[in-house]
């Protein structure tokens, strides 16, 4: 498959690009600063561009079978990616989000409520942008999956991922970046969570 990845130069994004290439996929990595992607591969295309450049985004997604977005709290960028996908006929959209984006299947949970309250107080713009981006994804006609995490950790992959919703006693606070990359990549072909917003942790 051909996969376009936004946020490809971040710590999790680079792991995701490597995993996708190792799995035999062709990857287009969209990057503000391509020099941060410090490796090459015959099946890797690096597309340089800003997240406010609708034309460059359109070129990056054209011909893709799926798009994975891990750019974080930039709702305007998410909307541009959605528009480019709709214009290009690309349907599968896997998006990184956080516990700040609620889901109807969540239940009250004190630890997650406290974390969201902290983010809303300390970084109100980021909190608002995450929620706006999630709303834009849900409102689209794409085959989306919104993957929500609370905290990201470094370290080797554990190979074990818990999937559920907040407040059910299944999902914890943190997930390894390598494990999250694996989960995101799996969603490209796994339609179990189609048009759902699962929360994941180790």
């Amino acid at each position: 498959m051909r996969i376009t990845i936004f946020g490809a130069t971040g710590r999790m994004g680079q792991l995701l690009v490597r995993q996708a290439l190792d799995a035999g996929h062709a990857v287009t990595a969209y990057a503000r600063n391509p020099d941060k992607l410090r490796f090459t591969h015959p099946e890797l295309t690096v597309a340089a561009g800003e997240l406010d450049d609708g034309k460059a985004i359109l070129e990056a997604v054209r011909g893709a079978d799926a798009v994975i977005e891990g750019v974080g709290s930039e709702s305007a960028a998410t909307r541009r990616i959605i528009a480019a996908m709709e214009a290009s006929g690309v349907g599968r959209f896997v998006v990184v989000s956080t516990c700040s984006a609620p889901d109807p299947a969540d239940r009250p949970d004190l630890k997650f409520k406290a974390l969201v309250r902290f983010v809303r107080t300390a970084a109100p713009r980021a909190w608002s942008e995450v929620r706006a981006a999630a709303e834009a994804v849900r409102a689209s006609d794409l085959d989306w999956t919104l993957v929500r995490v609370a905290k990201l950790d470094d370290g080797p992959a554990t190979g074990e991922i818990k999937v559920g919703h907040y407040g059910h006693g299944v999902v914890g606070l943190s997930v390894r970046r390598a494990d999250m990359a694996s989960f995101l990549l799996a969603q490209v072909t796994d339609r179990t969570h189609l048009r759902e917003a699962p929360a994941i942790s180790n």
Side-chain angles (χ1 to χ4, degrees):
M1 297 183 71
R2 176 165 292 281
I3 304 171
T4 299
I5 298 174
F6 291 86
T9 59
R11 281 182 287 175
M12 193 278 296
Q14 295 208 35
L15 292 170
L16 176 59
V17 171
R18 287 185 182 274
Q19 289 185 19
L21 292 169
D22 288 345
H25 299 294
V27 175
T28 297
Y30 192 88
R32 286 168 165 164
N33 186 352
D35 292 339
K36 289 184 177 180
L37 206 61
R38 300 180 184 275
F39 57 90
T40 60
H41 189 281
E43 294 297 325
L44 173 63
T45 300
V46 181
E50 297 289 336
L51 291 171
D52 62 356
D53 188 339
K55 184 177 179 180
I57 290 172
L58 180 62
E59 286 299 315
V61 305
R62 183 174 286 130
D65 298 299
V67 172
I68 303 176
E69 184 209 324
V71 298
S73 55
E74 296 190 38
S75 62
T78 299
R79 288 192 289 269
R80 289 188 190 95
I81 294 168
I82 291 170
M85 292 178 66
E86 291 175 341
S88 302
V90 182
R92 189 68 175 118
F93 193 28
V94 182
V95 187
V96 175
S97 189
T98 76
C99 57
S100 291
D103 187 83
D106 293 337
R107 293 176 181 169
D109 185 293
L110 289 178
K111 62 180 178 293
F112 291 107
K113 186 176 181 180
L115 179 59
V116 172
R117 185 186 302 116
F118 172 78
V119 173
R120 185 175 184 177
T121 301
R125 184 181 181 278
W127 174 85
S128 177
E129 285 289 294
V130 164
R131 291 170 67 92
E135 290 172 2
V137 172
R138 289 178 182 276
S140 76
D141 292 326
L142 301 175
D143 292 337
W144 55 266
T145 297
L146 199 67
V147 181
R148 298 179 298 152
V149 298
K151 295 170 61 179
L152 287 171
D153 291 335
D154 289 317
T158 68
E160 298 181 1
I161 299 176
K162 298 174 182 176
V163 185
H165 288 83
Y166 297 120
H168 292 257
V170 175
V171 180
L173 277 172
S174 64
V175 64
R176 296 280 178 92
R177 285 181 170 84
D179 287 316
M180 183 176 181
S182 297
F183 185 82
L184 293 171
L185 183 60
Q187 301 318 296
V188 169
T189 54
D190 185 350
R191 300 175 74 84
T192 302
H193 302 291
L194 188 66
R195 300 186 70 81
E196 293 181 354
I200 67 170
S201 73
N202 287 127

